[in-house]
């Protein structure tokens, strides 16, 4: 269990991680939508791997924000 | 299991001779420093070989890498010591295979130092025209050799700088990695985000797939080079002994790193082929990321210098990881009597293994000098890089599977997914199905390396053979068995390792498992006597 002092502390690296993770989700959605609009069949494979990968990575990285908010409560 | 304690480092040694001061972020950055840089060197080489199917080559290599990553995560969290693959093979397969895995990985670390120092210097040269200096003017012709001596001297200077940095100690170099790593992650993400938003043309990606699909030989060469984009998890294992609460930190760090790197590598190749024709990257093997960034609208004008700076820094921290890993691996090998004790010496002033840092960085320097005598220094070094990695990983997979059977009592905070329970000596053992698939995958890549890498298939095995000859001499000279292993009390050692790592819960769990095993043995002995 982390102390309340630790919970209050938001470092610059945490802020960068949140921003970066949010951008990963945005870019993932953009890649998937652009690919679906323009491509079909096997050619959708790589853009979809990359797009969904970024969305997943962004969500995974943002899990710690949820943890932070829970700890704060 | 032997109860004789011999040639096994004690907890006192483990605790006092190397410091545990790497945090979650530091551990992640050690890995990222290695893996994040690999794509800067490998992207151009892979696209030049696999052409329109470069993304597929990265995906194939990446899937193998994910399985390697899972295996390393399991082993590094269960055995958090500095040896990495060498230690796992030593525990699972004995001294000889431990040495073989170690020497293969050592080849990789020395190449890591050489390749990334050369690549980093190459990115530094990007700035010379801005200063009115043409780097192509610094060519020295000796017989049939054409040597770019400015590039050579820059590379050597960088290696000497890293030697000095590592002699100062892990804390200093870890901080160095972390600061530069944050900067690199931001820039790398920006290139991907701006690239996909403003420059990526999915139809170009499809067109290149349809019109420039490689031959099988080209694809095999490309995908085997692709594996070098993913070498880096070993660094986390190397740093495990110096990581706080490794059983908790290593799985978190590794799993995040595995998927981050896989997505980034696939993203860079998919983005590249959707922005520019593959031939453009084939012409810019030295600076593919800068070429890609330059083609992105809005940021393209400044993207060249920024990505060149990015390339130079991230490649430098990757070379730094190589120095760190090589020195710690040799330290570990000498601790277990696989190398001379001469390497065991820790500087009383800096508390770092100075001799191993100097000797194996020195080999890196020698490799740089030899590589510059070939037509393409980076290609020569890259060729050898894949051999060492795949051979080492192959042995690690076998060790991981073997340890599931021979050492089921060691607590494993993380296990590779997809296991089936099979009975073994009256006990149910989790058989790693993914471990077998990983072994086959790495075996396939090693086969590709031997089949398609002209220099790697000769120089790589030559290095291993030379290493084995040294091993035979060293063991015979010191009256130790060559093909057999020294007797070691691994159980006491495991308790020492976990205790020095402050993993007290795991120590208790391990002791309990051993106690249950001993009671069971006593019961079965008693039953035999009663009968």
């Amino acid at each position: 269990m982390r102390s309340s002092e630790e919970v209050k502390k938001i470092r610059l690296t945490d802020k960068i991680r949140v921003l970066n993770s949010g951008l990963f989700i945005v870019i993932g959605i953009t890649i998937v939508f652009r690919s679906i609009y323009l491509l079909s069949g096997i050619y959708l494979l790589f853009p979809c791997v990359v797009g969904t990968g970024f969305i997943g990575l962004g969500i995974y990285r943002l899990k710690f924000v949820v943890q932070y908010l829970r700890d704060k409560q | 299991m032997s109860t004789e304690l011999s040639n096994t480092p004690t907890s006192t040694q483990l605790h006092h001779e190397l410091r545990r001061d790497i945090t979650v972020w530091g551990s992640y950055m050690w890995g990222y420093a290695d893996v994040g840089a690999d794509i800067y060197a490998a992207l151009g080489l892979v696209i030049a070989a696999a052409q329109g199917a470069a993304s597929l080559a990265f995906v194939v290599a990446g899937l193998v890498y994910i399985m390697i990553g899972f295996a390393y995560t399991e082993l590094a969290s269960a055995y958090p010591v500095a040896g990495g693959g060498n230690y796992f093979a030593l525990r699972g397969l004995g001294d000889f295979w431990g040495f073989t895995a170690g020497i293969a990985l050592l080849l990789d670390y020395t190449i890591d130092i050489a390749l990334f120092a050369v690549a980093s210097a190459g990115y530094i040269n990007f700035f010379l025209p801005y200063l009115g200096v043409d780097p192509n003017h610094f060519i020295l012709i000796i017989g049939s050799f054409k040597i770019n001596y400015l590039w050579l001297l820059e590379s050597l200077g960088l290696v000497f700088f890293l030697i000095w940095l590592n002699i100062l100690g892990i804390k200093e170099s870890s901080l160095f990695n972390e600061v530069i790593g944050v900067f690199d992650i931001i820039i790398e993400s920006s290139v991907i985000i701006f690239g996909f938003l403003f420059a990526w043309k999915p139809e170009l990606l499809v067109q290149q797939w349809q019109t420039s699909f490689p031959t099988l030989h080209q694809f095999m060469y490309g995908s085997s080079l692709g594996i070098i984009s993913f070498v880096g998890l070993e660094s986390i294992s190397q740093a495990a002994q110096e990581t706080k609460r490794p059983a908790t930190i290593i799985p978190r760090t590794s799993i995040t790193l595995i998927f981050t790197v896989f997505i980034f590598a696939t993203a860079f190749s998919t983005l590249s082929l959707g922005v520019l024709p593959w031939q453009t990257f084939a012409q810019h093997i030295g600076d593919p990321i800068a070429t890609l960034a330059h083609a992105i609208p809005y940021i393209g004008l400044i993207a060249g210098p920024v990505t060149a700076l990015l390339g130079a820094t991230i490649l430098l921290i990757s070379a730094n990881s190589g120095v760190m890993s090589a020195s710690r691996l040799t330290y570990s090998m000498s601790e277990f009597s696989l190398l001379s004790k001469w390497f065991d010496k820790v500087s009383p002033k800096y508390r770092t293994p100075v001799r191993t840092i100097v000797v194996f960085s020195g080999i890196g320097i020698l490799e740089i000098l030899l590589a510059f005598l070939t037509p393409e220094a980076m290609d020569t070094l890259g060729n050898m890089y894949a051999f060492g990695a795949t051979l080492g990983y192959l042995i690690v997979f076998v060790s991981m599977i073997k340890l599931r059977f021979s050492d089921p009592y060691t607590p494993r905070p993380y296990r590779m997914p997809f296991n089936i329970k099979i009975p073994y000596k009256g006990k149910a053992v989790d058989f790693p199905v993914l471990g077998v698939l990983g072994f086959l995958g790495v075996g396939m890549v090693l086969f590709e390396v031997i089949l398609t890498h002209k220099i790697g298939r000769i120089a790589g095995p030559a290095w291993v053979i030379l290493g084995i000859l040294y091993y035979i001499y060293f063991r015979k000279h010191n009256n130790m068995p060559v093909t057999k292993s020294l007797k070691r009390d691994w159980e006491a050692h495991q308790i020492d390792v976990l205790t020095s790592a402050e993993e007290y819960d795991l120590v208790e769990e391990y002791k309990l498992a051993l106690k249950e095993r001993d009671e069971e043995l006593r019961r079965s002995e008693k039953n035999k006597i009663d009968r």
Side-chain angles (χ1 to χ4, degrees):
Chain A
M1 185 65 76
R2 288 187 291 178
S3 69
S4 56
E5 242 176 68
E6 264 184 298
V7 170
K8 280 178 192 171
K9 201 175 167 187
I10 305 173
R11 293 168 302 168
L12 180 64
T13 49
D14 293 333
K15 291 176 184 171
I16 291 168
R17 283 171 71 188
V18 171
L19 180 69
N20 224 355
S21 307
L23 284 171
F24 281 171
I25 295 172
V26 173
I27 197 64
I29 293 168
T30 308
I31 294 166
V32 170
F33 271 89
R34 284 192 68 192
S35 310
I36 290 171
Y37 181 69
L38 288 163
L39 308 175
S40 62
I42 181 96
Y43 305 116
L44 263 174
L45 177 69
F46 301 120
C48 279
V49 166
V50 174
T52 51
F54 270 116
I55 294 168
L57 193 60
I59 291 169
Y60 178 78
R61 284 164 58 104
L62 282 174
K63 264 170 51 183
F64 89 97
V65 177
V66 177
Q67 184 64 46
Y68 167 76
L69 293 172
R70 275 187 191 158
D71 289 352
K72 205 176 173 185
Q73 281 171 355
Chain B
M1 183 70 68
S2 165
T3 52
E4 187 184 336
L5 184 64
S6 166
N7 290 297
T8 310
T10 64
S11 64
T12 314
Q13 285 171 301
L14 293 168
H15 196 71
H16 294 297
E17 294 186 3
L18 287 170
R19 294 167 284 173
R20 292 183 179 276
D21 51 12
I22 297 177
T23 59
V24 175
W25 182 247
S27 174
Y28 178 82
M29 286 317 302
W30 271 125
Y32 184 79
D34 246 4
V35 190
D38 291 344
I39 189 72
Y40 284 82
L43 185 69
L45 291 167
V46 176
I47 291 181
Q51 302 173 10
S55 293
L56 183 61
F58 274 107
V59 168
V60 169
L63 290 175
V64 174
Y65 152 77
I66 287 172
M67 290 185 276
I68 296 166
F70 286 151
Y72 263 91
T73 306
E74 174 175 330
L75 293 166
S77 58
Y79 308 102
V81 293
N86 151 252
Y87 181 82
F88 309 144
L90 185 68
R91 288 290 299 260
L93 303 172
D95 289 13
F96 178 78
W97 289 106
F99 175 83
T100 308
I103 205 76
L105 293 170
L106 207 49
L107 169 67
D108 246 28
Y109 294 140
T110 57
I111 293 285
D112 195 285
I113 298 165
L115 174 64
F116 293 117
V118 171
S120 179
Y123 274 95
I124 290 169
N125 286 344
F126 177 89
F127 294 99
L128 293 184
Y130 289 90
L131 304 170
V133 178
D134 183 357
N136 294 322
H137 282 171
F138 298 89
I139 303 288
L140 185 67
I141 299 172
I142 306 170
S144 58
F145 299 116
K146 279 175 75 178
I147 303 164
N148 187 326
Y149 65 90
L150 177 67
W151 195 0
L152 174 63
L153 290 174
E154 285 169 332
S155 307
L156 296 177
L158 290 175
V159 177
F160 282 117
F161 167 67
L162 294 177
I163 291 172
W164 170 77
L165 192 74
N166 278 271
I167 285 173
L168 288 187
I170 186 77
K171 192 172 183 178
E172 288 77 6
S173 51
S174 183
L175 181 67
F176 172 77
N177 273 356
E178 288 174 32
V179 172
I180 297 179
V182 169
F183 169 72
D184 283 336
I185 287 175
I186 293 168
I187 302 291
E188 201 170 309
S189 303
S190 303
V191 169
I192 288 177
I193 289 165
F194 276 92
F196 272 111
L197 283 178
F198 301 117
W200 187 57
K201 298 184 282 290
E203 58 275 23
L204 180 61
L205 179 77
V206 172
Q207 189 207 344
Q208 299 205 67
W209 174 279
Q210 288 173 330
T211 59
S212 304
F213 204 86
T215 62
L216 182 62
H217 188 274
Q218 287 169 327
F219 183 78
M220 286 168 81
Y221 186 69
S223 60
S224 60
L225 279 175
I227 202 75
I228 72 173
S229 318
F230 303 113
V231 181
L233 284 168
E234 181 76 13
S235 300
I236 294 179
S237 301
Q238 292 293 306
Q241 188 164 309
E242 296 163 62
T243 305
K244 291 170 183 167
R245 299 298 306 272
T248 315
I249 286 176
I250 296 296
R252 282 170 63 189
T253 307
S254 296
I255 300 298
T256 312
L257 185 70
I258 289 164
F259 287 101
T260 307
V261 168
F262 178 72
I263 293 300
F264 268 65
T266 318
F268 266 116
S269 56
T270 305
L271 176 64
S272 300
L273 292 176
V275 173
L276 291 166
W278 72 266
Q279 292 90 341
T280 309
F281 291 99
Q283 289 161 4
H284 292 86
I285 282 177
D287 58 349
I289 305 287
T291 306
L292 171 68
H294 188 69
I296 298 171
Y298 309 115
I299 65 164
L301 279 176
I302 57 161
V306 171
T307 50
L309 185 64
L310 165 71
T313 50
I314 197 167
L315 288 163
L316 187 62
I317 51 176
S318 187
N320 189 46
S321 292
V323 178
M324 175 261 190
S325 300
S327 59
R328 270 129 193 94
L329 176 58
T330 48
Y331 173 84
S332 169
M333 287 173 78
S334 65
E335 286 282 284
F336 286 103
S337 303
L338 302 178
L339 284 178
S340 165
K341 286 282 176 193
W342 186 83
F343 292 107
D344 214 2
K345 182 78 177 169
V346 172
S347 159
K349 187 176 178 186
Y350 300 110
R351 295 170 65 204
T352 50
V354 173
R355 287 177 178 173
T356 58
I357 290 170
V358 172
V359 168
F360 289 93
S361 299
I363 292 174
I365 287 170
L366 185 66
E367 286 164 350
I368 290 174
L369 291 168
L370 293 173
F372 267 89
L373 296 176
T374 63
E376 286 289 340
M378 279 188 62
D379 188 60
T380 305
L381 293 169
N383 237 259
M384 288 175 68
Y385 199 48
F387 178 84
T390 46
L391 180 61
Y393 291 156
L394 202 67
I395 297 171
V396 166
F397 266 117
V398 178
S399 310
M400 195 274 291
I401 296 166
K402 171 84 185 329
L403 282 164
R404 286 279 186 98
F405 291 90
S406 61
D407 184 24
Y409 307 103
T410 292
R412 287 168 171 79
Y414 174 85
R415 277 175 195 268
M416 280 190 88
F418 305 114
N419 299 289
I420 49 169
K421 285 208 183 294
I422 57 170
Y424 178 72
K425 290 186 178 175
K427 194 176 163 66
V429 173
D430 288 320
F431 183 76
V433 177
L434 211 57
V436 175
L437 292 177
F439 171 80
L440 294 174
V442 176
M444 182 193 75
V445 178
L446 182 61
F447 173 73
E448 288 178 347
V449 169
I450 291 167
L451 195 72
T452 61
H453 293 226
K454 286 176 184 170
I455 294 176
R457 69 180 166 214
I458 296 167
W463 167 277
V464 175
I465 290 166
L466 279 176
I468 289 172
L469 289 174
Y470 163 79
Y471 177 76
I472 293 167
Y473 165 77
F474 167 69
R475 298 280 283 213
K476 280 193 169 175
H477 187 71
N478 290 284
N479 297 318
M480 288 188 274
V482 175
T483 51
K484 291 179 181 174
S485 302
L486 295 172
K487 286 181 180 174
R488 297 184 174 91
D489 187 351
W490 287 122
E491 290 171 5
H493 177 67
Q494 184 68 17
I495 290 169
D496 286 342
V497 167
L498 293 174
T499 305
S500 69
E502 298 172 23
E503 293 287 1
Y504 303 117
D505 293 348
L506 296 183
V507 173
E508 291 309 312
E509 193 183 326
Y510 185 54
K511 283 180 177 172
L512 192 65
L514 293 180
K515 195 179 166 189
E516 282 174 3
R517 180 204 60 183
D518 292 343
E519 279 173 6
E520 205 172 305
L521 279 173
R522 265 197 296 274
R523 271 200 300 272
S524 64
E525 288 290 323
K526 198 182 169 193
N527 286 343
K528 275 183 191 170
I529 294 165
D530 289 347
R531 276 182 212 147

